[in-house]
Amino acid sequence: MHHFGFPLEASIIFFSVILLSIYIDLVSHRHSKEITVKNAALWSVFWISLAMMFYIYLYFRFEPEWADLYLAGYVLEKSLSIDNLMVFTAIFASFGIKGRLQHRILYWGILGALVFRAIFVIIGTGLFLASPWVGFIFAAFVLWSGWKMLQSGDDNKEDIEDYTHHWSVRLAGKLMPIFPKLEQDKFFIKHTELNETQLSSVTRKGLRYATPAFLCLIAIETSDIAFAFDSVPAVIAVTQEPLLVYAAMIFAILGLRSLYFILAALTKYLVHLEKAVIALLFFIGIKMGIQSWNHAVFDTGIHISANISLFIVLGVLAIGVLSSLVFHEKEKE
């Protein structure tokens, strides 16, 4: 089979559709507000339909083999992104960030992912030699987050007011000026906007100060880069055509935010679903650790494929939903 390359018509259609869709999404969500299950579900249907329409276009405009390769890459990336979804949950739990601020952080996080995925596809697999060690770091973080959520119980429903002693502020405080409190939905706040009492809590003086919301955004972006170490080579293994690889990844990533908010919204109504999420955090952390060990140290012979991982995630979530419906608790005053 010859190379697909970058057909001018296909490239124009793909990038035009993506840019137009992002613009529509941006206008629809220009105000930071809490996303409902209905809204998230409608956007999920929109992104999946868009991906399928591109598949149909490739199928009839070019050879069916190219369309099938794109679809295989899309399904694989969608399956792998479920793990990323669980890490988003761990990061937000670690920062104690809820509701509409999650929407703002995830929105810019997904936009950043589009850029990084393009860079990774261009680079190919050369950068992925570092992936095992990155995997160890995130495996430890996910396991730690799951443990903290398990210990805190109902306490993890409270927002954090002061981040002075938060791990992210201690880690980044020496590198940049940070104001250790959330300020509305802002990622940065000007020096002139703070009073003397507030300035006494900053990590160092500067013209602008990063807020914990920005540190959470950096954590989200870093986690996506870590997952790109696994997902990009996996999709490249399906097809080495850059346009098909990038298209498969972008359509899968653009629907990730909506899937997250479906999960986040359901946890409010299904009382045992959060316990299922905690169990999945331990599973994802162990899985990442085993994968990194296989690459960095020696092959243990334990390999959890994307399909098995997807079935486990869906199965555990299903158990959480069913147990919530069968063993529902009375609503507390």
Side-chain angles (χ1 to χ4, degrees):
M1 191 189 314
H2 59 279
H3 289 292
F4 184 77
F6 293 88
L8 181 61
E9 178 188 305
S11 300
I12 291 175
I13 290 177
F14 168 67
F15 287 106
S16 297
V17 168
I18 292 299
L19 291 176
L20 179 61
S21 300
I22 292 175
Y23 175 75
I24 294 173
D25 193 20
L26 180 61
V27 172
S28 300
H29 299 104
R30 61 184 180 276
H31 302 298
S32 294
K33 60 181 181 181
E34 196 161 351
I35 305 299
T36 63
V37 177
K38 179 181 178 181
N39 184 277
L42 289 175
W43 274 102
S44 293
V45 172
F46 171 77
W47 292 121
I48 294 174
S49 300
L50 207 60
M52 292 301 99
M53 288 173 62
F54 191 69
Y55 167 76
I56 294 172
Y57 163 73
L58 292 175
Y59 189 92
F60 288 103
R61 182 65 179 83
F62 302 94
E63 298 176 17
E65 289 80 3
W66 297 124
D68 292 339
L69 287 175
Y70 155 76
L71 184 61
Y74 171 76
V75 173
L76 177 59
E77 179 69 19
K78 201 73 172 175
S79 301
L80 292 171
S81 67
I82 299 298
D83 291 359
N84 208 345
L85 199 70
M86 295 298 107
V87 176
F88 288 171
T89 302
I91 291 174
F92 282 130
S94 173
F95 279 85
I97 290 178
K98 310 289 182 183
R100 65 178 190 176
L101 187 52
Q102 288 185 346
H103 161 256
R104 176 169 169 77
I105 291 172
L106 267 187
Y107 184 84
W108 291 106
I110 295 299
L111 290 182
L114 304 184
V115 177
F116 286 118
R117 284 299 198 280
I119 295 173
F120 278 28
V121 170
I122 293 172
I123 292 175
T125 57
L127 185 62
F128 304 112
L129 295 175
S131 61
W133 308 108
V134 176
F136 280 129
I137 295 173
F138 271 91
F141 174 78
V142 171
L143 290 172
W144 174 76
S145 298
W147 176 250
K148 295 295 288 185
M149 288 177 67
L150 187 63
Q151 283 187 318
S152 60
D154 291 336
D155 294 339
N156 61 14
K157 293 181 173 57
E158 298 295 329
D159 293 342
I160 300 175
E161 294 184 0
D162 192 335
Y163 289 78
T164 301
H165 302 294
H166 193 265
W167 63 269
S168 63
V169 174
R170 294 201 306 266
L171 187 64
K174 297 180 180 179
L175 302 177
M176 65 176 71
I178 297 174
F179 177 59
K181 293 184 180 181
L182 293 174
E183 185 66 21
Q184 299 177 357
D185 298 330
K186 295 180 179 178
F187 290 138
F188 294 94
I189 185 170
K190 296 179 181 178
H191 179 85
T192 54
E193 295 179 289
L194 301 177
N195 57 42
E196 290 298 324
T197 303
Q198 292 173 319
L199 286 172
S200 64
S201 65
V202 301
T203 57
R204 54 189 290 191
K205 294 296 176 63
L207 297 177
R208 288 178 178 270
Y209 301 96
T211 67
F214 177 73
L215 299 181
C216 184
L217 174 61
I218 295 300
I220 290 289
E221 291 285 11
T222 306
S223 74
D224 183 74
I225 292 173
F227 274 94
F229 285 135
D230 286 331
S231 66
V232 174
V235 178
I236 289 177
V238 174
T239 173
Q240 288 75 44
E241 298 297 333
L243 182 60
L244 299 181
V245 170
Y246 189 61
M249 289 182 173
I250 295 312
F251 280 119
I253 291 173
L254 286 174
L256 187 59
R257 181 169 56 103
S258 299
L259 285 177
Y260 173 82
F261 283 111
I262 290 176
L263 178 66
L266 288 177
T267 56
K268 298 178 182 179
Y269 306 107
L270 302 173
V271 295
H272 294 300
L273 187 59
E274 186 169 314
K275 299 181 181 67
V277 171
I278 293 174
L280 287 176
L281 290 179
F282 283 106
F283 164 70
I284 298 300
I286 293 171
K287 175 190 172 185
M288 292 178 69
I290 292 174
Q291 288 177 335
S292 298
W293 187 276
N294 288 340
H295 288 90
V297 186
F298 63 85
D299 193 340
T300 62
I302 302 175
H303 300 279
I304 305 175
S305 68
N307 288 335
I308 293 177
S309 179
L310 179 61
F311 289 141
I312 291 175
V313 170
L314 294 179
V316 173
L317 290 178
I319 292 173
V321 171
L322 290 175
S323 61
S324 298
L325 296 175
V326 176
F327 305 105
H328 64 280
E329 298 175 352
K330 293 182 178 180
E331 185 175 345
K332 297 180 180 179
E333 291 294 328

